């Protein structure tokens, strides 16, 4: 599997560290909403299809990336920096079958 | 009901094997059942078997989307052990071990359970201390465990490099002598035959595509072979849990599906007479009765529903094997394959009533659920029959994550790929 890092270009998957479901919303640090914290720590979307997920290019530039990948075919549909603007697109992909 | 006996073998040998019956029937689905079990893997079949045998509930269907045993029950590396650290796990897996020890007899089917032992190698003094602690925890609960010295290990596995110049020198190990392996296909077939003979309908090529509901209550399933109603619907779909729960409208679970690969080499004379695990990475190996080395390592490490693996793990597993057995460098690999594992956030399973009324859930086996097959079905059948858990599965709830009662044997936290 090749992941295209926006800085470094296409690189082998072994350079990256997987950080899972990219739809999780981290509560504000001072939040005392237990349900929100539990959901953030333990709950995952686990679709058989397009999945919106976070990877770190830990063996390269170390940037965190938002990747939309198909969990049935391992095809990568999009890659972008995790910070900035791509969350909503990802949300839609994550909910797809 | 000893269908297989010295007498029946002899009789069939003399009449050209004409009297053997198929191991299970191929019935069409009925309109309704008392219990539907989704998933014809080891756990679904053992659940149906114990529902019939222990609780007299025989109006049961097992629905399998492929052919029987096409999931993990036929894809695993067959290691059976109960060498856990935490008491909840130890009690559950030791119950399983006791069922294994009598399984061929109980099923009248030879599952080739072979108690060749399971040895975890230690490569640092701290690791050896840790294994001593684990061994003590096991013995405290009545499970067998022995620390082994390097010399004992050398005698047991002569092919292993235990020299000081090994890449990761071996300092000792923890052995569970009663652990071992079983013939995985035979486990599925034996349970299937036992359930079938007690009246359970095993329906293959029948994929569950949705759930019939009356308000919140689950009252049946939609399938590729039509709608089927049931008072109770039980899930045992292992790696497909996330997907099937989504069909029931539950999109978030404390689960990720990952792929685990396994490998078999060409046949060799016996060189590994136990199940052996490497302490400095993730690698384990045993030798099948045909002589092939059966081995595996880490998950691929990212969500996957593809029953095939990727090359980086092949590379990693082979290099870990050579760190232990430099002499195997020229042995050829015959086959590799992948299976779907439902990895939970604490590495332990879930066997529970709910989460919807009328539904029962058995999942979260990660990549260690083959050894659990008998106890999983036994406890799940109890839970389905009585609408409450047995004490062996009472800790394995779905809400333990939210109640702070996680069962994290490895202490890895909520990171499925590390369990
Ligand atoms: C490579 C590998 C090695 C392993 N090694 C070991 C080991 O050495 N020791 C050990 O203890 N464990 C091991 N495991 C783990 C173990 O195999 C599993 O935890 C266990 O087999 C899972 O339970 P099961 O047998 O019921 O699952 P499965 O056999 O996967 O059964 C689930 C069934 O559900 C069916 N299904 C899914 N969706 C639907 C649907 N919508 N409708 C109908 N049917 C459906 C599937 O087709 C499948 O047959 C290994 C796993 C793998 C992949
Ligand atoms: Zn980069």
């Amino acid at each position: 599997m090749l992941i295209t890092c926006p800085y470094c270009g296409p690189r082998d998957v072994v350079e990256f560290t997987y950080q899972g479901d990219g739809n999780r919303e981290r509560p504000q640090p001072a939040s005392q909403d237990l349900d929100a914290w539990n959901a953030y720590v333990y709950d995952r979307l686990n679709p058989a299809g397009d999945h919106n997920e976070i990877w770190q290019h830990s063996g390269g530039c170390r940037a965190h990336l938002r990747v939309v990948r198909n969990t049935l075919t391992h095809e990568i549909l999009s890659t972008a920096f995790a910070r900035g603007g791509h969350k909503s697109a990802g949300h839609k992909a994550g909910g797809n079958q | 009901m000893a269908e297989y006996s010295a007498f029946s073998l002899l009789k069939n040998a003399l009449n050209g094997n004409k009297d053997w019956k198929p191991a299970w029937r191929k019935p069409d689905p009925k309109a309704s059942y008392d219990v539907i079990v989704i998933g014809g893997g080891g756990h679904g079949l053992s659940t149906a078997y114990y529902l019939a045998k222990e609780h007299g509930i025989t109006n049961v269907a097992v629905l399998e989307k492929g052919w029987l045993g096409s999931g993990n029950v036929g894809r695993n590396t067959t290691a059976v052990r109960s060498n856990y650290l935490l008491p909840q796990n130890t009690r559950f897996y030791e119950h399983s071990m006791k069922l294994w020890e009598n399984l061929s007899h109980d099923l009248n089917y030879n599952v080739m359970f072979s108690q060749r032992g399971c040895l975890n190698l230690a490569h640092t003094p701290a690791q050896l201390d840790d294994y001593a602690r684990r061994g003590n925890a096991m013995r405290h609960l009545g499970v067998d465990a022995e620390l082994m010295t390097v010399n004992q290990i050398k005698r047991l596995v002569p092919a292993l490099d235990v020299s000081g110049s090994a890449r990761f020198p071996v300092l000792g190990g923890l052995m569970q002598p009663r652990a071992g392996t079983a013939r995985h296909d035979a486990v599925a077939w034996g349970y299937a035959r036992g359930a079938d003979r007690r009246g359970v309908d095993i329906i293959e090529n029948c994929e569950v595509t949705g759930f019939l509901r009356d308000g919140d209550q689950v009252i049946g399933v939609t399938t590729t072979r039509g709608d089927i109603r049931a008072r109770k619907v039980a899930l045992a779909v292992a790696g497909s849990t996330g997907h099937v729960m989504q069909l029931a409208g539950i999109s978030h679970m404390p689960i990720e599906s990952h792929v685990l690969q396994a490998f078999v080499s060409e046949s060799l004379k016996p060189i590994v007479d136990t199940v052996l695990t490497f302490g400095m990475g993730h690698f384990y190996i045993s030798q099948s009765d045909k002589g092939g080395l059966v081995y595996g390592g880490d998950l691929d490490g990212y969500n996957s529903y593809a029953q095939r693996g990727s090359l980086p793990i092949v590379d990693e597993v082979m290099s870990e094997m050579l760190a232990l057995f430099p002499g195997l460098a020229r042995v050829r690999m015959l086959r590799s394959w992948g299976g779907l594992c439902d990895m939970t956030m604490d590495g332990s399973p879930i066997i529970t009533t709910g989460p919807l009324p009328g539904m029962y859930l058995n999942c979260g086996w990660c990549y260690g659920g083959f050894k659990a097959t008998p106890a999983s079905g036994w406890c799940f059948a109890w839970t389905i029959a009585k609408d409450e858990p047995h004490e062996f599965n009472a800790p394995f709830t779905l809400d333990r994550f939210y109640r702070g009662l996680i069962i994290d044997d490895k202490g890895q936290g909520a990171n499925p790929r590390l369990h």
Side-chain angles (χ1 to χ4, degrees):
Chain A
M1 203 158 84
L2 285 180
I3 298 179
T4 304
C5 171
Y7 272 131
C8 315
R11 296 298 183 92
D12 194 287
V13 66
V14 296
E15 292 186 12
F16 297 82
T17 308
Y18 185 60
Q19 299 186 340
D21 185 356
N23 300 291
R24 291 182 296 150
E25 202 75 60
R26 189 187 170 97
Q28 291 302 315
S31 164
Q32 306 214 0
D33 181 346
L34 269 186
D35 287 343
W37 279 111
N38 279 333
Y40 173 69
V41 175
Y42 294 120
D43 283 345
R44 304 284 192 276
L45 261 183
N46 184 25
D50 295 349
H51 190 217
N52 163 21
E53 52 202 23
I54 305 290
W55 291 74
Q56 187 187 10
H57 194 186
S58 46
C61 66
R62 304 194 64 77
H64 286 83
L65 309 177
R66 182 173 297 282
V67 174
V68 179
R69 185 179 58 92
N70 187 300
T71 60
L72 289 159
T73 61
H74 296 175
E75 184 192 357
I76 293 187
L77 304 164
S78 70
T79 323
F81 291 123
R83 206 178 281 272
H86 298 274
K87 185 111 191 172
S88 55
H91 252 302
K92 217 167 72 219
N96 280 351
Q97 198 291 97
Chain B
M1 54 160 232
E3 247 172 277
Y4 298 152
S5 63
F7 176 73
S8 69
L9 264 181
L10 185 67
K11 181 168 152 248
N12 277 279
L14 294 175
N15 77 358
N17 289 309
K18 283 201 297 277
D19 285 347
W20 296 121
K21 279 187 268 170
W24 58 91
R25 297 162 294 131
K26 304 254 179 208
D28 288 324
K30 293 193 277 192
S32 79
Y33 290 91
D34 289 339
V35 180
I36 285 175
V37 180
I38 309 175
H43 294 212
L45 294 165
S46 64
T47 301
Y49 175 76
Y50 292 117
L51 272 173
K53 181 178 176 234
E54 303 290 338
H55 306 281
I57 301 174
T58 56
N59 185 21
V60 175
V62 178
L63 309 182
E64 165 55 47
K65 76 172 173 192
W67 68 93
L68 193 146
S70 53
N72 282 355
V73 68
R75 288 168 186 267
N76 66 77
T77 40
T78 77
V80 173
R81 55 185 176 83
S82 56
N83 56 355
Y84 284 79
L85 177 68
L86 300 179
Q88 299 95 319
N89 279 331
T90 310
R91 284 197 197 100
F92 174 81
Y93 285 103
E94 180 59 14
H95 177 54
S96 211
M97 183 64 82
K98 289 186 174 136
L99 291 170
W100 278 112
E101 285 176 324
N102 192 40
L103 195 59
S104 294
H105 177 76
D106 184 29
L107 296 175
N108 172 235
Y109 202 104
N110 186 0
V111 301
M112 296 167 74
F113 184 46
S114 156
Q115 292 178 293
R116 59 186 71 180
C118 176
L119 172 63
N120 308 128
L121 297 175
H123 309 268
T124 66
Q127 198 169 31
L128 198 54
D129 287 351
D130 187 46
Y131 284 160
R133 173 180 176 232
R134 177 181 295 254
N136 287 338
M138 290 164 62
R139 291 175 73 130
H140 190 62
L141 289 173
V143 181
D144 58 318
E146 287 168 24
L147 273 187
M148 289 183 80
T149 64
V150 179
N151 274 334
Q152 286 172 310
I153 292 170
K154 189 179 166 60
R155 273 200 301 278
L156 182 69
V157 194
L160 186 68
D161 182 2
V162 295
S163 67
S165 62
R167 177 78 178 81
F168 300 101
V170 174
L171 301 189
L174 181 64
M175 169 63 115
Q176 182 183 15
R178 281 162 65 244
T181 60
R183 168 93 162 92
H184 50 7
D185 296 317
V187 173
W189 299 333
Y191 274 122
R193 193 185 60 132
D196 174 275
R197 294 295 187 271
R198 287 175 166 82
V200 171
D201 283 358
I202 295 166
I203 301 162
E204 292 166 278
N205 299 308
C206 179
E207 178 172 355
V208 169
T209 51
F211 289 82
L212 299 171
R213 299 274 284 265
D214 180 4
D216 258 1
Q217 183 86 23
V218 173
I219 54 165
V221 293
T222 62
T223 80
T224 48
R225 297 180 65 178
D227 294 359
I228 312 175
R229 292 178 162 256
R231 287 198 302 118
K232 301 184 175 189
V233 176
L235 269 73
V237 294
S240 301
T241 301
H243 175 63
V244 176
M245 288 301 280
Q246 262 186 15
L247 300 176
I250 295 178
S251 60
H252 287 84
M253 294 277 294
I255 280 180
E256 285 180 0
S257 296
H258 285 246
V259 145
L260 181 70
Q261 303 189 56
F263 308 87
V264 171
S265 77
E266 59 188 323
S267 287
L268 306 176
K269 288 186 176 176
I271 64 157
V272 190
D273 187 23
T274 186
V275 179
L276 193 73
T277 78
F278 179 41
M280 279 321 271
H282 193 171
F283 173 79
Y284 58 99
I285 188 166
S286 66
Q287 192 164 13
S288 81
D289 295 348
K290 286 189 288 189
L293 297 169
V294 181
Y295 52 100
D298 254 332
L299 297 167
D300 279 18
Y302 40 86
N303 288 46
S304 177
Y305 280 89
Q307 290 197 126
R308 61 185 159 77
S310 69
L311 282 172
I313 293 289
V314 180
D315 197 39
E316 194 179 302
V317 169
M318 299 309 149
S319 55
E320 293 190 21
M321 173 160 81
L322 293 188
L324 289 177
F325 298 99
L328 296 182
R330 302 183 60 162
V331 170
R332 278 166 297 191
M333 182 173 98
L334 281 193
R335 291 185 288 130
S336 75
W337 63 91
L340 301 184
C341 303
D342 45 338
M343 302 298 298
T344 53
M345 299 298 143
D346 63 0
S348 296
I350 295 163
I351 310 177
T352 187
T353 53
L356 297 173
M359 182 191 261
Y360 301 78
L361 182 61
N362 174 313
C363 65
W365 293 102
C366 297
Y367 47 74
F370 177 64
K371 68 175 88 68
T373 304
S376 165
W378 194 93
C379 289
F380 199 33
W382 178 291
T383 305
I384 296 164
K386 298 183 192 287
D387 282 306
E388 62 183 30
H390 185 270
E391 67 176 284
F392 288 137
N393 66 305
F396 298 114
T397 60
L398 179 58
D399 68 0
R400 67 175 181 268
F401 300 99
Y402 317 116
R403 294 171 58 219
L405 299 172
I406 52 168
I407 308 168
D408 189 347
D409 221 85
K410 279 193 173 175
Q412 300 280 26
N415 197 341
R417 76 188 152 81
L418 298 180
H419 283 291

